[in-house]
Amino acid sequence: MKPPVPGVDAALFTGIAWGRALRALQPGRAAGPDGLRPEHLLSALAAGPSSARALGESFGAFAAAVIAGRVQPAARPLLMAARVCFIPKALGGLRPLGVVQVLRRVVTRAAFARVAPPLRRFYLDRGQVGVGVSAGTEALALWVQSELERGRAIVMADRSNAYSSLHPSAMLETTAALVPPVRPLMELLLVGALALLTFRAERRPRLPQLRLPHVPQQQHPRPRRRRRRRRR
């Protein structure tokens, strides 16, 4: 079993500014199966200081429950559901893309932002610059150029459907050994998603879609042009 990464403790996910995490949402992003869009949350934050404070506190309690894995079984299908879209690949075929809920995206993005700094040295020591490393593409290009100048060969391997071929239990145990506080969240995301897929394959329930009000885009009034009086 691998030892935990240095700098990871039990208080890894404490003190996250969830109001700031909600304000970091970008308008125009796709909604999940529930129909909730970033514009709905941004409009609630812009309604006033009291509304923004109440939303931040409520979402903080929700995020703490998700990170700790304390989600009721009846609510897990709603949290783990995703809209599946298929994007054409450049060399043919289709790439499945799951669009999850906005609330889940905010929680996982903030959690990864806390996990990434301690893992950055772990990534670099093993030559991994694709995730969580700033200027990873530039660092990889520089490393490839230096190796070619030394007369060495570079092999580029691309395994088809590599991520889907990984066993979830092996991924869970490895991640939990490196970052123990993330284990409840990983169990919820991996094990809960597999259970939901099995459940949907057997019974195929339809998830209810929330009817949310339409959020119109803010239109700035045009300034009036002053008419010039004609001199007689």
Side-chain angles (χ1 to χ4, degrees), residues 15-46:
I16 298 178
W18 293 109
R20 186 180 303 174
L22 290 173
R23 289 186 177 89
L25 288 171
Q26 298 182 3
R29 298 294 182 177
D34 57 354
L36 184 67
R37 293 182 176 274
E39 288 84 352
H40 296 105
L41 298 175
L42 294 176
S43 298
L45 291 172

Side-chain angles (χ1 to χ4, degrees), residues 16-205:
I16 298 178
W18 293 109
R20 186 180 303 174
L22 290 173
R23 289 186 177 89
L25 288 171
Q26 298 182 3
R29 298 294 182 177
D34 57 354
L36 184 67
R37 293 182 176 274
E39 288 84 352
H40 296 105
L41 298 175
L42 294 176
S43 298
L45 291 172
S50 59
S51 300
R53 189 181 307 107
L55 178 59
E57 294 176 356
S58 300
F59 184 79
F62 165 77
V66 173
I67 291 177
R70 300 191 309 267
V71 179
Q72 296 295 329
R76 291 191 177 188
L78 298 176
L79 180 65
M80 304 306 301
R83 292 193 302 112
V84 181
C85 306
F86 294 92
I87 301 176
K89 295 183 179 180
L91 300 179
L94 298 175
R95 184 187 306 276
L97 177 64
V99 182
V100 299
Q101 293 185 8
V102 175
L103 300 180
R104 175 182 165 184
R105 282 180 245 170
V106 176
V107 176
T108 53
R109 188 181 295 115
F112 178 76
R114 285 297 183 93
V115 173
L119 289 177
R120 188 168 291 117
R121 176 52 55 186
F122 178 83
Y123 291 151
L124 292 175
D125 292 342
R126 287 154 181 80
Q128 199 284 120
V129 295
V131 179
V133 178
S134 302
T137 304
E138 292 78 1
L140 180 61
L142 182 61
W143 177 79
V144 170
Q145 182 178 359
S146 62
E147 293 298 318
L148 293 177
E149 292 176 353
R150 295 179 183 178
R152 299 179 180 179
I154 304 296
V155 177
M156 185 176 65
D158 186 9
R159 183 174 179 178
S160 176
N161 203 18
Y163 180 79
S164 300
S165 62
L166 295 176
H167 201 280
S169 60
M171 189 187 311
L172 174 62
E173 294 301 328
T174 302
T175 307
L178 295 174
V179 189
V182 84
R183 185 182 185 92
L185 181 60
M186 292 290 294
E187 288 180 349
L188 178 63
L189 296 179
L190 292 178
V191 180
L194 290 177
L196 179 60
L197 289 175
T198 305
F199 181 72
R200 287 181 63 88
E202 294 176 356
R203 300 182 57 182
R204 296 185 179 275

